[in-house]
Amino acid sequence: MGVRGSGKTVMLAVLQKELYSTIARRFDASIDSPGGKSGLAGQLETLLRGMEDDEGVLPEQTKRHETGMTIPAVFEWRFSKKAMGGKVSRDVSTIFSFYDSAGEDLATEDRALGQHYLAATSGVILLLDPFGFPGNRDRAINSGVDAESFATSPDTVLRALTTVLQTAEKTKKNKKIKQPVAVVVSKIDAFFDDIPSDHPMRKASSKLRHFDDAESLSIHDHIASMIDQWGGDALLRLLDNNYEKYRLFGASALGAEPEYGSQRVNARGVLPHRVADPLLWLMADRGFLPKGG
């Protein structure tokens, strides 16, 4: 889920490729799409080719689905789970799926409550556009970011999602939402100058066959500090007061700022940075992947 212009479709397209390649090799896993290239999986592959070719065209804004059914991208992940000592413990597998929603679907609580599939989720990845925070508005305008992206603030989207999950879980007033939520600040490459060069956020994801929880917590703390500096303290309080388990991430699907005016990928090409970390955290949280650190 995410606000309009946060880069959900771009992130999903790049993540799908990462699952088939980098992540599959890292965990010595077999990851494929049982449904083939139908529905969203095929659309994402087509969109990625458009971003990777000579023109480097970014996808259009995802439109609201007024009628009919959209087929999500479904994946099956199989691998031999190993203990930290390297000994194989057992073969494991899981099925998971992604649905690409329009940013407008979370613009209000009424619209959000109409997204019935959210009641069936076991984990949510919520993308936030860093340019949507008050402290980054001038920077966004100077970079040529579409001003319509600011129509819905990050905390407005989080409030709508919170209402949906509370309704689905029938959360009592004195209790917090149990479902884990990965909150991702997208386009983090645009803010690398504000992050120390030796910080894990600036480095590539681990290649080890486990999720590095200590590294992830270090990134979580730094992203929280950045959000606070950008004027997003209300969003942080909303997370603290309503969720039992959440984790903050910074990721970039493109790896370099695009030409916002022409909607073209940077001349360097598509260079994804930590796009799989939120999914790996959710997988480790449910015990599917081992944790380290």
Side-chain angles (χ1 to χ4, degrees):
M1 305 296 295
V3 298
R4 184 180 188 275
S6 58
K8 299 180 297 301
T9 303
V10 175
M11 187 76 75
L12 278 176
V14 174
L15 176 57
Q16 178 171 264
K17 180 180 179 180
E18 289 285 286
L19 284 170
Y20 293 149
S21 55
T22 307
I23 301 304
R25 288 192 295 269
R26 173 178 169 182
F27 291 95
D28 193 19
S30 171
I31 304 176
D32 56 32
S33 181
K37 301 305 179 183
S38 62
L40 180 59
Q43 295 170 22
L44 293 176
E45 190 170 276
T46 299
L47 293 172
L48 182 64
R49 285 199 299 268
M51 289 187 283
E52 291 183 328
D53 68 15
D54 293 338
E55 295 296 325
V57 181
L58 291 174
E60 295 180 355
Q61 291 289 341
T62 302
K63 295 180 175 59
R64 292 185 65 195
H65 303 294
E66 302 289 353
T67 59
M69 180 181 293
T70 298
I71 301 174
V74 182
F75 302 91
E76 182 178 25
W77 182 332
R78 292 178 175 273
F79 79 124
S80 297
K81 193 171 184 178
K82 296 182 179 180
M84 294 302 288
K87 184 179 179 180
V88 175
S89 55
R90 66 186 190 279
D91 291 337
V92 294
S93 67
T94 190
I95 297 284
F96 58 100
S97 62
F98 289 118
Y99 181 82
D100 187 16
S101 61
E104 292 84 353
D105 289 339
L106 283 182
T108 66
E109 290 186 0
D110 287 344
R111 286 184 183 176
L113 287 168
Q115 309 308 305
H116 302 295
Y117 67 92
L118 281 173
T121 55
S122 56
V124 172
I125 299 176
L126 176 66
L127 260 65
L128 302 178
D129 189 336
F131 293 120
F133 289 100
N136 294 329
R137 294 291 173 81
D138 290 342
R139 186 171 183 171
I141 294 172
N142 293 334
S143 298
V145 177
D146 183 2
E148 289 188 26
S149 301
F150 314 147
T152 307
S153 66
D155 50 305
T156 297
V157 170
L158 180 59
R159 285 194 189 94
L161 176 63
T162 300
T163 298
V164 173
L165 296 181
Q166 286 173 334
T167 302
E169 290 188 5
K170 295 181 172 60
T171 309
K172 296 182 179 179
K173 290 185 178 180
N174 61 338
K175 299 294 182 179
K176 295 183 178 181
I177 294 167
K178 295 180 180 179
Q179 185 169 170
V181 175
V183 182
V184 186
V185 175
S186 60
K187 310 173 186 178
I188 196 63
D189 58 280
F191 298 86
F192 273 171
D193 290 343
D194 301 332
I195 304 172
S197 59
D198 60 346
H199 193 274
M201 173 59 63
R202 295 281 299 270
K203 300 177 182 178
S205 300
S206 171
K207 294 183 179 180
L208 299 175
R209 286 191 59 176
H210 64 265
F211 179 76
D212 191 331
D213 203 45
E215 179 188 77
S216 177
L217 284 169
S218 175
I219 292 173
H220 169 96
D221 291 339
H222 199 88
I223 292 294
S225 176
M226 294 177 76
I227 290 175
D228 186 57
Q229 292 175 16
W230 296 337
D233 53 300
L235 180 137
L236 297 174
R237 290 194 299 271
L238 189 60
L239 287 167
D240 284 335
N241 293 329
N242 290 281
Y243 291 87
E244 280 188 6
K245 195 177 300 181
Y246 73 91
R247 184 66 58 87
L248 298 171
F249 297 87
S252 172
L254 300 178
E257 284 195 272
E259 297 293 333
Y260 291 108
S262 61
Q263 290 293 289
R264 292 289 190 273
V265 174
N266 190 283
R268 294 168 54 192
V270 178
L271 302 170
H273 184 76
R274 291 191 173 273
V275 296
D277 285 9
L279 174 63
L280 299 182
W281 173 71
L282 289 171
M283 291 293 194
D285 178 72
R286 62 187 295 190
F288 182 70
L289 295 180
K291 283 185 181 180

